[in-house]
Amino acid sequence: MKIRPEWMLPDLEAARKRTKLPSPRIDSFIIPEEAKWIGRNKKYYISTYGCQANERDSETLAGILDALGFERSMEPDHVDVILINTCAIRQNATDKVLGEIGNFKRFYYENKNLVIGVCGCMSQEEGFVENLLSKYPQVRLIFGTHNIQNLPEMLYSVIHEGKRVVEIYSKEGEVYENLPVHRFGKFKAWVNIMYGCDKFCTYCIVPYTRGKQRSRTMEQILDEVRELKEQGYKEITLLGQNVNAYGKDIDPNINFATLLEECAKIGIPRIRFTTSHPWDFSDDMIDVIAKYDNVMPFVHLPLQSGDSEILRMMGRRYTRESYMELFYKIKERIPNVSVSTDIIVGFPNETDDQFENTIKVMEECKFDNAFTFIFSARPGTPAARMKDSIDMETKSKRLARLNKVWNAYALEKNKAYEGRIVEVLVDGTSKKDDHVYSGYTDTNKLVNFTGENIEPGQFVKVRIKTGKTFSLDGEAI
Ligand code: SAH
Ligand code: SF4
Ligand code: F3S
């Protein structure tokens, strides 16, 4: 058994480095002899925050824990291991996590053998580990996004050697293949196509917490998609912080449009992808989405701001005009497409006029859905170092106004569905009423509908009766 290295603390300076070296690829996963079966008769619980990349990482954590003999529990009480997979994207995300770690303290005082572990993007932030170690004695394991594959050794050290383990590498990262996976969905699956991000938008922590852009090979992705199809999966979502940059780091001859087309040909009924950056969104991509029925007519296209100067300061590499051009191209070429977006209000020194430019784009695009945020300064990022003249009250008012605007258009869009028949992939029944089912349309609209004898994972035709701001109501036909 390898002795756990001395504590390794996050280092944003090291995390910022990008070399032209190819990313190491590691194909094998081996559980050390000593760690085998350390989970026999033991249970684990995983709590996940943040984006789909984290959801998918939690499936890997679960896969490794299963391989060690642990059993998954859906509740945090009476388990032996709790892992909290954290997100650092905004301050309120990190506050929630600290609240949860605080709540779990009582389990630790009931059972001192309980292992509470913290991993994910917050672990990669400077200062976080010291804070956890000093204020949260219940946390006995802290590891980063590049250390997941070492979970067996780390757990062994905590459980059998009584150590408090901290292992965080701040580096560009590798591509790990063949790590075990316990998929949480039975008919919808996440498929990583790339890791990390090289865009370094000035407000964003992700390039520091996740390392450089590393694409998986086409063969490996397509093998995974074929396997998912054989296992009966109905929907896959291809994941990357910026899927349209797929492949550029490994081979100039491959790109996302080719990958998407090859996935479509495998014939899984529904394919989605996220996120596509407006920069380098190619015409070929639009053509593939339009051409294949199983590539869903839905594009999440983060705008962030409708003002070109703010976009420049954000380092987004597009202007309001080029965004609009792309937006209209997508709308014209993909029949019935729906488009959602992300917006940040209150970027440092955003003036009223600059904010109005965002409102104008929202009024023009009439997005189907929007995720709207107040700028949150992430320590270590360039935007966090900017002096900011705008107070929080102004930012909150802008957010409320923006939400009012997009909500009205979302309602208008959803009202247009009334009377239409849509195809829904059923997720399950509503928590409140088991005669009400829910699922999503191809355009990613949430539908709640009544019906009889319907199973999750089925495709059902639903007649829409009412369009609401965030969902559609209907009945199965
Ligand atoms: N890779 C994706 C974004 C992932 S983060 C992309 O570039 O489109 C998801 C969203 O969180 C971002 O689109 C942005 O709107 C928001 N976000 C990221 N950093 C933020 C910050 N520091 N403050 C507020 N919102 C932020
Ligand atoms: Fe963050 Fe920009 Fe990368 Fe998206 S593209 S993850 S916003 S740095
Ligand atoms: Fe959060 Fe990390 Fe994703 S910061 S949004 S979990 S990449």
Side-chain angles (χ1 to χ4, degrees):
M1 167 69 59
K2 194 163 71 179
I3 310 264
R4 298 297 336 132
E6 284 308 300
W7 286 0
M8 290 185 214
L9 297 177
D11 173 353
L12 289 189
E13 201 50 57
R16 191 176 290 133
K17 292 226 168 73
R18 295 293 185 265
T19 66
K20 294 253 183 289
L21 298 172
S23 303
R25 280 158 203 273
I26 298 157
D27 286 337
S28 62
F29 171 73
I30 296 160
I31 297 175
E33 207 49 47
E34 292 88 338
K36 278 183 183 156
W37 300 110
I38 56 171
R40 204 190 319 242
N41 300 325
K42 291 192 168 118
K43 288 191 177 158
Y44 68 89
Y45 171 79
I46 301 180
S47 172
T48 310
Y49 291 83
C51 65
Q52 295 91 339
N54 252 18
E55 298 276 342
R56 179 62 187 77
D57 280 352
S58 286
E59 294 182 339
T60 301
L61 293 168
I64 296 176
L65 289 166
D66 291 352
L68 296 173
F70 288 92
E71 192 190 322
R72 183 174 179 220
S73 164
M74 302 304 283
E75 303 294 336
D77 23 17
H78 310 300
V79 299
D80 304 277
V81 173
I82 294 180
L83 294 182
I84 306 167
N85 194 3
T86 64
C87 169
I89 202 84
R90 284 170 294 273
Q91 187 60 39
N92 56 6
T94 65
D95 292 345
K96 263 195 245 159
V97 167
L98 292 176
E100 179 161 74
I101 300 173
N103 282 339
F104 288 155
K105 199 181 203 165
R106 64 196 162 96
F107 298 134
Y108 178 66
Y109 286 115
E110 279 161 26
N111 169 17
K112 283 282 169 67
N113 291 323
L114 171 65
V115 178
I116 299 183
V118 177
C119 56
C121 288
M122 274 171 83
S123 306
Q124 301 286 144
E125 289 190 296
E126 279 179 9
F128 176 67
V129 175
E130 291 91 327
N131 181 20
L132 273 190
L133 290 175
S134 62
K135 298 202 191 120
Y136 299 83
Q138 67 271 36
V139 175
R140 294 169 63 202
L141 168 64
I142 310 171
F143 60 100
T145 54
H146 300 294
N147 306 75
I148 291 177
Q149 68 289 343
N150 296 339
L151 185 59
E153 287 114 307
M154 293 189 285
L155 270 182
Y156 180 87
S157 296
V158 179
I159 295 173
H160 290 289
E161 296 168 352
K163 288 186 180 163
R164 220 174 169 195
V165 171
V166 177
E167 188 183 294
I168 293 147
Y169 301 147
S170 296
K171 57 175 181 178
E172 297 182 334
E174 300 86 4
V175 176
Y176 279 89
E177 292 292 344
N178 305 320
L179 292 179
V181 54
H182 172 149
R183 297 199 188 265
F184 298 153
K186 290 199 176 60
F187 46 89
K188 286 186 186 178
W190 309 114
V191 177
N192 282 319
I193 65 167
M194 61 211 292
Y195 305 98
C197 180
D198 286 342
K199 289 280 184 285
F200 285 101
C201 301
T202 56
Y203 51 81
C204 185
I205 194 73
V206 173
Y208 304 84
T209 63
R210 292 271 170 181
K212 84 168 172 185
Q213 178 179 312
R214 286 109 63 207
S215 298
R216 294 177 71 203
T217 65
M218 276 244 294
E219 298 86 275
Q220 270 163 323
I221 297 166
L222 295 176
D223 280 349
E224 183 174 342
V225 175
R226 280 186 208 105
E227 195 180 306
L228 288 166
K229 184 177 180 228
E230 267 162 38
Q231 291 168 350
Y233 279 86
K234 301 283 173 22
E235 177 177 308
I236 58 163
T237 303
L238 307 175
L239 295 182
Q241 289 302 339
N242 175 18
V243 293
N244 13 11
Y246 169 74
K248 291 188 174 171
D249 53 305
I250 50 173
D251 179 350
N253 299 316
I254 61 171
N255 57 48
F256 184 63
T258 323
L259 175 70
L260 193 57
E261 178 152 36
E262 291 307 314
C263 288
K265 285 184 196 156
I266 290 172
I268 246 172
R270 282 187 170 190
I271 300 173
R272 300 185 188 278
F273 56 89
T274 198
T275 300
S276 37
H277 193 296
W279 193 62
D280 63 17
F281 197 114
S282 70
D283 284 7
D284 289 349
M285 267 173 73
I286 301 180
D287 290 343
V288 172
I289 304 168
K291 180 171 168 196
Y292 290 90
D293 285 346
N294 59 346
V295 179
M296 296 297 98
F298 167 66
V299 179
H300 182 60
L301 197 67
L303 167 68
Q304 312 301 4
S305 166
D307 182 83
S308 295
E309 178 55 18
I310 294 283
L311 286 170
R312 193 187 62 73
M313 289 199 292
M314 288 176 162
R316 289 292 287 181
R317 311 169 196 216
Y318 54 86
T319 59
R320 173 191 186 282
E321 291 71 31
S322 61
Y323 183 94
M324 294 309 298
E325 200 182 308
L326 173 64
F327 177 85
Y328 283 119
K329 220 186 313 181
I330 290 172
K331 282 277 178 186
E332 277 157 23
R333 294 217 214 145
I334 307 170
N336 189 34
V337 70
S338 72
V339 180
S340 64
T341 199
D342 290 348
I343 305 281
I344 298 176
V345 301
F347 188 79
N349 308 312
E350 181 190 51
T351 64
D352 282 338
D353 285 350
Q354 288 172 325
F355 171 66
E356 288 308 319
N357 284 338
T358 299
I359 295 279
K360 278 185 207 146
V361 176
M362 297 300 272
E363 283 171 342
E364 193 170 335
C365 293
K366 301 186 171 67
F367 292 104
D368 289 81
N369 200 355
F371 300 89
T372 56
F373 314 102
I374 293 180
F375 167 77
S376 168
R378 307 318 297 138
T381 60
R385 290 191 286 273
M386 294 178 190
K387 277 221 164 60
D388 189 1
S389 59
I390 313 297
D391 59 73
M392 203 30 129
E393 199 189 331
T394 308
K395 296 186 183 200
S396 301
K397 278 190 188 148
R398 285 182 187 168
L399 182 72
R401 172 132 175 260
L402 182 73
N403 284 341
K404 222 169 147 187
V405 169
W406 84 257
N407 283 182
Y409 290 122
L411 179 62
E412 188 184 305
K413 288 270 160 110
N414 286 350
K415 286 255 167 240
Y417 274 78
E418 290 177 2
R420 266 164 66 179
I421 292 168
V422 294
E423 188 172 60
V424 174
L425 174 56
V426 183
D427 281 327
T429 53
S430 138
K431 280 198 188 94
K432 285 177 235 145
D433 182 346
D434 58 12
H435 295 291
V436 177
Y437 299 84
S438 70
Y440 285 83
T441 62
D442 55 352
T443 51
N444 210 34
K445 302 270 178 194
L446 172 63
V447 183
N448 295 305
F449 63 97
T450 51
E452 296 290 329
N453 302 324
I454 291 168
E455 293 295 324
Q458 235 177 288
F459 285 100
V460 175
K461 294 251 189 281
V462 175
R463 177 175 289 113
I464 301 302
K465 293 208 283 207
T466 319
K468 305 200 282 196
T469 307
F470 304 107
S471 61
L472 307 169
D473 286 350
E475 60 186 359
I477 53 169

